[in-house]
Amino acid sequence: MAQPDSKKIFFENLSGAGKAIAVLTSGGDAQGMNGAVRAVVRMGLYVGAKVYFIHEGYQGMVDGGDNIKEATWESVSSMLQLGGTVIGSARCKEFRTHEGRLKAAHNLVQHGITNLCVIGGDGSLTGANLFKEEWSGLLNELVEQGLIEADAVQKYSALHIVGMVGSIDNDFCGTDMTIGTDSALHRIIEVVDAIMTTAQSHQRTFVLEVMGRHCGYLALVSGLACGADWVLIPEMPPEDGWEEKMCQKLSANRAGMKRLNIIIVAEGAIDRNNKPITTEYVKNLVVKCLGFDTRVTILGHVQRGGTPSAFDRILASRMGVEAVLALLETTANTPACVVSLCGNTSVRVPLMECVQMVKVQKAMDQKRFEEAVKLRGRARMYDNLLLCILCLQSNFNVAVLNVGAPAAGMNAAVRSAVRVGISEGHKMFAVSDGFEGFYKGQIKEVKWGDVGGWTGQGGSLLGTKSTSLPDQPSKPLADTKALGSALQAFLSLLELLTARGKYEEFCVPMVMVPATVSNNVPGSDLSIGADTALNAITTTCDRIKQSASGTKRRVFIIETMGGYCGYLATVGGLASGADAAYIYEEPFDIKELQANVEHLTEKMKTSIQRGLVLRNENCNENYTTDFIYQLYSEEGRGVFDCRKNVLGHMQQGGAPSPFDRNFGTKISAKAMQWVSKKLVETFRQGRVFANTEDSCCLLGMRRRTLVFQPVVQLKDETDFVHRIPKEQWWLKLRPLMKILAKYKTSYDVSDSGQLEHVVHNRPKDSDASVAM
């Protein structure tokens, strides 16, 4: 199942011998920065370069001395799970002056550093670009002052800059997701979920202020994730008279037996006259007009704190490795670039193109709010939040059902499908217990309010069973939409498609949305529920490793779910800093197991005190978790001891992550819009008749876009015996995981980021809710 070799053995193709790379974090801190630093250090050392920390950001570069230290492999151990930035960050007024940059240049030359990896926001990256442009002039000044030798100008003639955006606000143009944003959403949703329980108890209204002085991303997405009643953001000031509309909305919700109201306000929220909208103003408005018991909660810096999410660890690791690749490939004429994410793909974009595109504040100051939304590049996310009631009076019946095992985020997807369907004029039905409930007639109409509060609920509220379609199905609904889980739903759609020849009732539009913790659906890089499972694995591994903080030299063997798909073991291993991950797609033998034990033994002789090994549950029928545990215990005797843990169904449980809530909301909304379009297209002479392959589809994330793919065309891409796709994108992350665990391995650079222009139009569906 391994991906084909193409441009392998990166170590031989791109050597960093003789090069010096420095990494610094600047500006505000963001969860995941440490993961990026770790990846830069270890990838830099892997290619033979010298790598330096610059402590305290640009201030440390200007001050020099002990602020610039050479990094070792061990110096970045145990930092992946830490929030903030271990190497420190500070705002530096001196670096903004020519004299300050001259000092910084002198300190870099003294260490032979001509490659900088800067992790920060647009201000930090703009400063880095100015430093690059002035570099040759600064060296000439240093020669004139007698601080460096004349030949140093030629030796260190060019400064290469690669940036990574670390910012919880997700306010940088050119990337779908910045390091730290997903973790900040986790903090917000944790607070909102906790507040909702007390608000329900007392029938209260809560007004929450989240960060976002100039950017409403956190407010918008957290509003989608928790089902907020009202959201106020800087880029989209409400129309005049919004106060009355908001109060009417809150009152209507209470009249509909909703016991609480949530209003989310970005700290930079403004009205159409650029007047700030504060939480106190909103609270007083609700109390005055409605008399509701209303409280204000300001989240503040709690959004910046805490452990980084699995998403941010993976993003930071991928971006850090990509940054080193970019530095090695730069020439004297290569512009400073930013490593960014487009959909599920790493790309490189010119730094100054990104900075010049950030004109949002100017547009807002001039009351060009529609332009501000377009500059943010997230108009479709706003459309999802502010979906209008279209009142099509279509009178189509559309059913929603869950199939297979439950996955966190399913309920958010059902809620989105129901409400978008109602908005488009359909009569929506819910099917209980999957296809078993379908043929038993467990079908009932579902209204707008019936799915209120579903976004934060784990599992499947509709119920789901892993039963196949019966040989003789009873009468189906007139128009059907299947929203399923894993390969069971995929196989069911294939059966329904085949049955169209016998039962005309199945000649209706059908679409599947992938929902499974295993992430093993063909035709989609990502599935609803996988991110929540990854966070469960990552959090548990953190706690397991911490349990050995007072014990020297211990290795943990962890078994993950996934069937025959090794996604959870591989990506969970990358997020938790595992030393090895055994999966079915990459066969292994006793020699490799022995080599891994020896590798860990060597690491344990240094300052590395804890090891982590993940094993996919079906990776090998003979090399079981018990076998691997006993092997490691025996072979590591006298050097380290072992413990084992089977994570089991805890990976399927719990509240869905912000990513899964929003991915489920977005992808299901898009699926329902597709169903509406197909119903109109296939409605002839008073009935729906859809009998083409493209009327039975799977909606999946493919690299940069969401794509509708006929299920019949995906048959050849599927290994039905093991229920996995024949090609899986995440296998390319395995060498990255091994490199960061200090293995010498081949690394495929054929899929590395290419320099792109940010001004080019990107796919419409590429945004943070479908990024990885």
Side-chain angles (χ1 to χ4, degrees), residues 156 166 253 358 367 418 527 554 619 695:
Y156 307 114
N253 285 345
V358 183
K367 299 183 180 181
V418 168
S527 298
R554 177 164 288 174
C619 65
S695 64

Side-chain angles (χ1 to χ4, degrees), residues 38 42 80-81 310 313-314 317 533-539 541-542 545 556 558 560-561 566-583 611-616 647 651 730 733-734 736-741:
R38 171 180 177 267
R42 292 195 166 177
L80 183 61
Q81 70 271 23
R313 299 186 197 195
I314 297 160
S317 297
L534 282 175
N535 277 286
I537 292 168
T538 302
T539 302
C541 287
D542 285 351
K545 288 196 293 184
F556 295 93
I558 311 295
T560 67
M561 294 179 76
Y567 176 82
L568 291 180
T570 295
V571 183
L574 181 60
S576 56
D579 296 276
Y582 300 116
I583 63 172
L612 185 66
V613 175
L614 270 61
R615 177 191 176 274
N616 166 247
L647 301 185
Q651 298 158 85
W730 51 266
L733 298 180
R734 288 188 61 77
L736 188 154
M737 183 193 71
K738 292 178 181 179
I739 287 169
L740 297 181

Side-chain angles (χ1 to χ4, degrees), residues 274-593:
N274 282 334
K275 180 181 176 182
I277 300 175
T278 65
T279 50
E280 280 300 319
Y281 176 77
V282 174
K283 172 193 171 182
N284 294 335
L285 178 68
V286 174
V287 171
K288 179 181 177 181
C289 296
L290 301 175
F292 290 171
D293 184 2
T294 307
R295 306 297 170 91
V296 171
T297 298
I298 298 175
L299 271 65
H301 281 74
V302 69
Q303 297 158 86
R304 287 192 187 277
T307 299
S309 66
F311 183 103
D312 274 327
R313 299 186 197 195
I314 297 160
L315 176 65
S317 297
R318 291 180 67 183
M319 296 301 99
V321 169
E322 187 66 36
V324 174
L325 285 174
L327 285 171
L328 295 179
E329 294 173 0
T330 55
T331 65
N333 299 320
T334 303
C337 74
V338 176
V339 174
S340 66
L341 190 72
C342 181
N344 193 31
T345 306
S346 300
V347 296
R348 304 172 193 171
V349 287
L351 190 157
M352 289 315 295
E353 282 188 16
C354 296
V355 172
Q356 289 162 8
M357 286 288 289
V358 183
K359 303 172 184 176
V360 180
Q361 190 58 48
K362 184 178 179 180
M364 288 192 291
D365 291 341
Q366 297 175 357
K367 299 183 180 181
R368 294 181 282 113
F369 299 114
E370 289 185 6
E371 183 180 341
V373 171
K374 290 179 181 177
L375 286 170
R376 283 285 183 231
R378 301 189 176 95
R380 292 180 68 87
M381 286 291 287
Y382 295 97
D383 291 343
N384 283 343
L385 181 67
L386 304 173
L387 188 67
C388 297
I389 305 298
L390 301 179
C391 297
L392 299 179
Q393 300 299 320
S394 66
N395 293 320
F396 288 120
N397 295 336
V398 182
V400 184
L401 64 151
N402 295 157
V403 181
M410 271 185 167
N411 297 319
V414 171
R415 170 184 176 272
S416 177
V418 168
R419 290 193 169 179
V420 172
I422 292 172
S423 296
E424 299 199 345
H426 306 313
K427 183 179 284 188
M428 298 300 299
F429 291 84
V431 181
S432 300
D433 297 334
F435 281 113
E436 182 176 317
F438 195 19
Y439 72 78
K440 286 182 178 179
Q442 296 172 203
I443 304 165
K444 65 178 182 179
E445 187 178 355
V446 59
K447 303 289 188 180
W448 185 281
D450 294 336
V451 292
W454 279 34
T455 52
Q457 298 292 317
S460 169
L461 294 175
L462 288 184
T464 174
K465 291 187 178 180
S466 299
T467 52
S468 300
L469 284 170
D471 293 332
Q472 299 293 328
S474 61
K475 291 181 180 179
L477 287 179
D479 317 298
T480 302
K481 170 182 179 284
L483 188 150
S485 171
L487 263 291
Q488 188 66 51
F490 179 68
L491 291 168
S492 298
L493 277 195
L494 287 173
E495 290 181 40
L496 288 170
L497 183 65
T498 304
R500 280 177 172 177
K502 188 175 181 181
Y503 302 97
E504 286 192 1
E505 292 90 344
F506 289 128
C507 294
V508 293
M510 294 179 281
V511 61
M512 171 186 166
V513 173
T516 166
V517 300
S518 301
N519 199 30
N520 63 334
V521 178
S524 186
D525 292 349
L526 303 173
S527 298
I528 298 167
D531 184 72
T532 304
L534 282 175
N535 277 286
I537 292 168
T538 302
T539 302
T540 305
C541 287
D542 285 351
R543 291 178 178 177
I544 287 172
K545 288 196 293 184
Q546 190 179 51
S547 71
S549 59
T551 306
K552 291 186 177 181
R553 299 175 181 170
R554 177 164 288 174
V555 174
F556 295 93
I557 314 296
I558 311 295
E559 181 183 300
T560 67
M561 294 179 76
Y564 286 96
C565 180
Y567 176 82
L568 291 180
T570 295
V571 183
L574 181 60
S576 56
D579 296 276
Y582 300 116
I583 63 172
Y584 167 78
E585 293 91 340
E586 194 172 279
F588 57 96
D589 55 23
I590 193 67
K591 292 180 180 178
E592 183 172 342
L593 289 170

Side-chain angles (χ1 to χ4, degrees), residues 666-736:
K666 179 191 173 82
I667 196 171
S668 196
K670 188 173 179 67
M672 179 53 69
Q673 290 166 347
W674 177 90
V675 168
S676 298
K677 180 182 176 182
K678 288 293 181 185
L679 286 170
V680 173
E681 289 177 355
T682 58
F683 186 74
R684 298 288 184 274
Q685 299 179 340
R687 62 169 294 188
V688 171
F689 189 81
N691 199 26
T692 56
E693 289 182 356
D694 66 352
S695 64
C696 183
C697 286
L698 178 142
L699 175 56
M701 176 67 188
R702 280 289 179 99
R703 293 178 66 83
R704 302 193 185 195
T705 56
L706 287 171
V707 183
F708 289 96
Q709 304 149 95
V711 292
V712 70
Q713 295 179 13
L714 295 173
K715 288 173 66 176
D716 292 339
E717 298 181 22
T718 308
D719 175 357
F720 287 99
V721 174
H722 298 100
R723 299 197 169 199
I724 56 176
K726 291 180 180 178
E727 291 190 10
Q728 304 187 79
W729 69 272
W730 51 266
L731 287 172
K732 292 185 178 180
L733 298 180
R734 288 188 61 77
L736 188 154

Side-chain angles (χ1 to χ4, degrees), residues 724-759:
I724 56 176
K726 291 180 180 178
E727 291 190 10
Q728 304 187 79
W729 69 272
W730 51 266
L731 287 172
K732 292 185 178 180
L733 298 180
R734 288 188 61 77
L736 188 154
M737 183 193 71
K738 292 178 181 179
I739 287 169
L740 297 181
K742 210 175 183 179
Y743 286 92
K744 289 296 181 183
T745 184
S746 58
Y747 187 74
D748 185 356
V749 297
S750 62
D751 200 37
S752 62
Q754 302 300 315
L755 193 65
E756 298 183 2
H757 293 287
V758 72
V759 293

